[in-house]
């Protein structure tokens, strides 16, 4: 079992004068799976490529297992990587792909074949070793890529949006598969993704990136339940932006209720409320009006307007039949501490 | 376009291509007095210069192809990986040999090399650099298409992350995936050199096309027969290259 920590210390990166990473610090604990989550252009892939050695930081250090590898070439960092694009060598069979890194290390042919077979079995492709990449599905190709990366027993595994090219069903399957294999092998893993569901369901910790910086680093639950900023709240999950007023005692009035907030701001503001943190009741005297419903599987979203502000409330689909467009309802926040933005909602 | 029109165009094109070829064959393998015969051809191939000049051209074709591949593969690899913004400039430069007439190239070479390195142009191998320049537009395009057809950056980075150095990555990952493009480039280079007459004759070197031209003056029947055989040989070469460029369809073991 490998449990090598990875650290980025004050790493800066610029491209053509544009700062992509603004002196970031990151500690990835040994054996954990950390997800770098953020929108396109936030710097998450650049951070991953700096760890891999494909890019060199303009300033700062990269430490793998406590060793400064900032000047070590990619081929000697002991880092495995699974790419977004199918990166299998097209002229080699699945087994040969997995064995490639072992051949580089000079392992005898028999050992290479044995180890490649074991790894293909680990990812559920023991029967497909003789097939070429063009004979495998997208999901199978990424499984082989995962086995190939694990073959060289890397101290760190980097996953660069490995599921983004796959369809939803295969993506879900492979998410669980990658997590299972990563836990089994115990390799420290950094996953880059823009898919919040992927990050929250796979990672031990999530680092949300925004404009070259970390907006928040925490467990998936911390990121979702107690977002550090309105950006994190909006990017991870869905939020309603509702007009609010913070009085001199620090209490925030929102949707007719009074709640606490940790914000130091006073006066007009915008409260950020998740759809599942709102309770909805049929009430002919209610101040909110149902404008529509959207079935999302296990939950149904009830769209309402509250004093001209659109608000979404998520309820279990079984209870959603009580609401239909045109109904008057009462909505109540069901949270203790509410996140607010200084700017008032438009 | 109607089926009839498509067929008519196809037949017309086939005739346009086949009639001169068949006519050359008939002319080359027959004599007015004796009818069908191999005599003019046998007479030409028994000439000792035939073997020497064919061998010279084959050697030049081989050396030119190797030199062009050795020059262009690392160049294109570097451009695609490190300087993709320079690719349009490189592409424009690669067509320059097409706009410089062979006569101008030879005159320039004569003026430069006879004054600076007098012995250089006397060697037959001095044709190789000129042929590399001559084949540059076609070889460049074939290889460039090959590089564009693969996800080069990802493949190189995947190989690097598995511990491979640049040489191993080039030999074990890049070149195998460029096989089809390299074969096409080689075929074009070989056929172009085997048919190149202007540079060789202007620089006073005896190559196979020069032999064909000289034979044509003494025995036009033999020259026509040799030309038809040369064309058939090129077709066979093309087929062989095409077969060799095919990707294996079944699995292999490590």
């Amino acid at each position: 079992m490998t449990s090598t920590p990875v650290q980025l210390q004050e790493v800066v990166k610029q491209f053509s004068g544009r700062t992509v990473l603004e002196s970031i610090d990151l500690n990835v604990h040994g054996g954990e799976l950390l997800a770098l989550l953020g929108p396109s252009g936030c710097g998450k892939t650049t951070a991953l490529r700096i760890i891999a050695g494909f890019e060199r930081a303009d300033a700062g250090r990269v430490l793998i297992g406590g060793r400064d590898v900032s000047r070590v070439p990619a081929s000697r960092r002991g880092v495995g990587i699974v790419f977004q694009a199918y990166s299998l060598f097209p002229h080699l069979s699945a087994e040969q792909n997995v064995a490639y890194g072992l051949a580089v290390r000079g392992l005898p042919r028999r050992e290479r074949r044995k180890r490649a077979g074991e790894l293909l079995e680990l990812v559920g492709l023991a029967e497909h070793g003789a097939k070429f990449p063009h004979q495998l599905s997208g999901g199978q190709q990424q499984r082989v890529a995962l086995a190939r990366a694990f073959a060289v027993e890397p101290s760190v595994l980097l996953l660069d949006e490995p599921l983004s090219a796959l369809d939803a069903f295969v993506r879900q399957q492979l998410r669980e598969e990658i997590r299972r294999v990563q836990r089994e092998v115990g390799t420290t893993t950094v996953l880059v993704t823009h898919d919040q569901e992927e990050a929250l369901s796979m990672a031990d910790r999530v680092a949300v990136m925004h404009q070259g910086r970390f907006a928040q680093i925490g467990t998936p639950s911390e990121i979702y339940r107690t977002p550090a900023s309105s950006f994190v709240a909006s990017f991870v999950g869905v939020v309603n932006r509702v007009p609010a007023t913070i009085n001199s005692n620090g209490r925030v009035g929102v949707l007719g209720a009074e709640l606490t907030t940790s914000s130091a701001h006073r006066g007009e503001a915008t409260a950020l409320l998740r759809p599942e943190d709102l309770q909805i009741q049929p009430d002919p005297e209610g101040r909110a009006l149902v404008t529509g419903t959207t079935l999302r599987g296990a939950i149904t979203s009830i769209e309402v307007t509250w004093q001209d502000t659109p608000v979404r409330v998520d309820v279990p689909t079984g209870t959603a039949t009580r609401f239909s467009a045109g109904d008057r309802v009462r909505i109540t926040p069901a949270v203790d501490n509410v996140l607010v933005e200084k700017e008032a909602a438009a | 376009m109607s089926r009839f029109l498509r067929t008519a165009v196809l037949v017309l094109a086939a005739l346009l291509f086949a009639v001169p070829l068949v006519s050359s064959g008939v002319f080359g393998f027959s004599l007015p007095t004796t009818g069908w015969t191999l005599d003019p051809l046998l007479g030409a191939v028994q000439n000792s210069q035939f073997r020497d000049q064919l061998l010279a051209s084959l050697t030049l074709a081989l050396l030119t192809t190797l030199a062009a591949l050795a020059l262009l593969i690392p160049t294109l690899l570097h451009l695609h990986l490190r300087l993709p913004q320079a690719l349009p400039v490189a592409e424009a430069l690669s067509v320059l040999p097409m706009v410089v007439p062979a006569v101008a190239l030879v005159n320039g070479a004569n003026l430069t090399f006879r004054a600076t390195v007098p012995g250089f142009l006397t060697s037959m191998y001095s044709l190789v650099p000129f042929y590399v320049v001559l084949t540059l537009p076609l070889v460049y395009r074939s290889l460039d298409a090959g590089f564009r057809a693969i996800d080069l950056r990802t493949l190189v980075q995947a190989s690097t992350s598995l511990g491979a150095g640049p040489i191993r990555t080039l030999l074990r990952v890049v070149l195998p995936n460029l096989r089809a493009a390299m074969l096409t480039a080689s075929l074009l280079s070989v056929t172009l050199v085997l048919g190149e007459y202007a540079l060789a004759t202007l620089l006073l070197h005896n190559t196979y096309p020069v032999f064909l031209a000289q034979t044509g003056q003494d025995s036009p029947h033999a020259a026509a027969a040799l030309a038809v055989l040369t064309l058939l040989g090129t077709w066979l070469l093309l087929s062989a290259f095409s077969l060799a460029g095919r990707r294996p369809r079944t699995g292999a073991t490590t």
Side-chain angles (χ1 to χ4, degrees):
Chain A
M1 176 158 168
T2 316
S3 55
T4 310
V6 178
Q7 289 170 286
L8 296 181
Q9 294 179 342
E10 297 177 359
V11 167
V12 176
K13 183 67 186 175
Q14 293 188 325
F15 288 117
S16 310
R18 190 173 71 88
T19 303
V20 178
L21 294 177
E22 293 192 20
S23 192
I24 58 166
D25 290 290
L26 178 70
N27 286 312
V28 187
H29 307 146
E32 81 168 334
L33 193 158
L34 180 131
L36 294 177
L37 174 68
S40 297
C42 70
K44 56 189 188 298
T45 299
T46 304
L48 188 96
R49 292 174 60 79
I50 286 173
I51 298 172
F54 297 142
E55 300 284 353
R56 187 168 283 188
D58 297 328
R61 301 197 306 163
V62 180
L63 281 80
I64 295 178
R67 188 171 71 103
D68 187 349
V69 295
S70 308
R71 303 275 160 189
V72 176
S75 59
R76 294 200 203 133
R77 288 200 182 187
V79 168
I81 186 159
V82 178
F83 296 88
Q84 176 182 2
Y86 305 134
S87 62
L88 296 184
F89 305 130
H91 63 296
L92 299 180
S93 68
E95 187 187 285
Q96 288 171 323
N97 262 282
V98 177
Y100 181 86
L102 303 174
V104 172
R105 278 158 181 74
L107 251 75
R109 186 187 162 103
R110 185 174 292 179
E111 273 186 55
R112 291 204 300 260
R113 291 197 62 184
K114 182 171 172 284
R115 181 85 184 117
E118 287 167 0
L119 283 157
L120 284 172
E121 198 172 332
L122 183 72
V123 296
L125 291 175
E127 306 300 314
H128 300 270
K131 287 186 180 169
F132 282 89
H134 68 276
Q135 296 169 317
L136 298 168
S137 69
Q140 288 173 330
Q141 287 188 45
Q142 288 302 67
R143 282 195 170 104
V144 175
L146 189 67
R148 185 179 67 178
F150 275 124
V152 293
E153 297 179 352
S155 49
V156 181
L157 178 68
L158 305 176
L159 306 171
D160 185 7
E161 307 211 31
L163 311 177
S164 60
L166 306 174
D167 63 57
F169 179 69
V170 179
R171 200 159 59 223
Q172 176 60 36
Q173 274 188 325
L174 212 50
R175 248 182 227 164
E176 292 162 13
E177 185 86 359
I178 289 174
R179 193 59 177 130
R180 178 185 65 77
V181 175
Q182 189 269 336
R183 281 201 173 119
E184 215 168 303
V185 182
T187 306
T188 308
T189 302
V190 179
L191 163 74
V192 160
T193 180
H194 62 266
D195 182 339
Q196 41 141 329
E197 197 184 322
E198 196 169 293
L200 296 179
S201 64
M202 289 176 74
D204 294 310
R205 286 193 304 146
V206 178
V208 183
M209 289 192 78
H210 182 44
Q211 294 177 340
R213 293 180 178 178
F214 289 117
Q216 187 176 3
I217 301 174
T219 64
S221 173
E222 285 167 354
I223 296 284
Y224 191 77
R225 299 310 312 170
T226 53
S229 65
S230 60
F231 169 78
V232 177
S234 314
F235 190 75
V236 183
V238 177
V239 286
N240 292 298
R241 294 185 134 74
V242 187
T245 309
I246 308 176
N247 64 26
S248 55
N249 297 328
R251 302 279 292 174
V252 52
V254 56
L255 295 173
E258 203 169 81
L259 307 167
T260 57
T261 180
S262 46
S263 169
H265 176 68
R266 297 292 178 265
E268 297 295 306
T270 299
L272 305 175
L273 293 163
R274 296 219 183 269
E276 68 273 23
D277 288 339
L278 294 170
Q279 289 178 343
I280 183 167
Q281 293 295 329
D283 183 354
E285 305 299 318
R287 292 160 70 185
L289 183 71
V290 176
T291 56
T293 60
T294 306
L295 177 68
R296 298 181 193 278
I299 61 149
T300 294
S301 297
I302 315 291
E303 288 102 32
V304 304
T305 55
W306 191 88
Q307 293 184 342
D308 294 332
T309 302
V311 177
R312 175 178 146 184
V313 185
D314 287 348
V315 298
T317 293
T319 65
T321 49
R322 294 189 296 155
F323 307 99
S324 53
D327 289 354
R328 288 257 153 219
V329 290
R330 186 177 70 248
I331 49 175
T332 327
V335 284
D336 295 331
N337 197 309
V338 63
L339 187 71
V340 295
E341 278 178 348
K342 277 186 204 169
E343 296 81 11
Chain B
M1 197 188 282
S2 72
R3 188 186 172 89
F4 171 76
L5 199 60
R6 283 203 302 270
T7 311
V9 169
L10 190 70
V11 170
L12 197 68
L15 283 174
L16 208 67
F17 181 68
V19 166
L21 201 65
V22 173
S23 303
S24 289
V26 171
F27 180 74
F29 293 101
S30 66
L31 288 172
T33 49
T34 54
W36 295 108
T37 177
L38 290 175
D39 288 348
L41 178 69
L42 292 174
V45 298
Q46 278 162 5
N47 183 337
S48 64
Q49 287 180 329
F50 166 77
R51 199 196 55 153
D52 294 346
Q53 292 181 226
L54 179 62
L55 201 64
S57 276
L58 288 172
T59 309
L60 285 170
L62 181 71
L63 292 175
T64 302
T65 304
L66 290 176
L69 293 179
L71 181 73
L72 284 179
I73 287 175
T75 306
L76 275 165
L77 185 64
H78 182 76
L79 287 174
H80 275 271
L81 283 180
R82 308 260 179 224
L83 277 174
Q85 67 273 22
L87 277 167
V89 179
E91 193 175 349
L93 287 174
S94 77
V95 297
L96 280 182
M98 279 185 167
V99 298
V100 180
V103 178
L105 189 64
V106 169
N107 281 338
N110 266 327
L111 283 170
T112 309
F113 292 112
R114 292 215 191 277
T116 53
V117 198
F120 174 65
L121 291 178
T122 58
S123 164
M124 182 192 74
Y125 299 110
S126 65
L127 284 172
V128 172
F130 297 115
Y131 283 173
V132 169
V133 171
L134 210 63
T135 57
L136 186 70
L138 300 174
V139 175
Y140 180 95
R141 260 156 197 73
S142 305
L143 292 176
D144 188 45
F147 274 107
R148 286 177 198 277
I150 57 174
D151 188 350
L152 181 70
R153 187 176 297 271
T154 305
L155 292 181
V156 168
Q157 288 178 352
S159 175
T160 305
S161 73
L162 292 166
I167 302 295
R168 180 184 278 266
T169 299
L170 177 72
L171 297 178
R172 297 293 169 89
V173 175
V174 178
L175 293 187
N177 285 295
L178 279 180
R179 192 168 63 164
M182 284 165 60
L183 286 170
T184 307
S186 304
L187 177 74
L188 290 168
S189 171
V190 166
T191 49
L192 211 135
V193 172
L194 288 181
E196 203 290 321
Y197 171 74
L199 275 174
T201 193
L202 287 169
L203 289 172
L204 308 175
H205 290 296
N206 291 321
T207 58
Y208 181 65
V210 174
F211 175 80
L212 272 184
Q214 285 166 348
T215 305
Q217 289 170 7
D218 303 332
S219 169
H221 290 276
L226 278 174
V228 170
L229 286 182
T230 305
L231 194 66
L232 288 175
T234 309
W235 278 347
L236 285 176
L237 202 63
L238 178 71
S239 307
F241 276 44
S242 168
L243 278 175
R246 281 188 190 165
R247 181 182 284 181
R249 302 294 304 172
T250 53
T253 53
T254 315

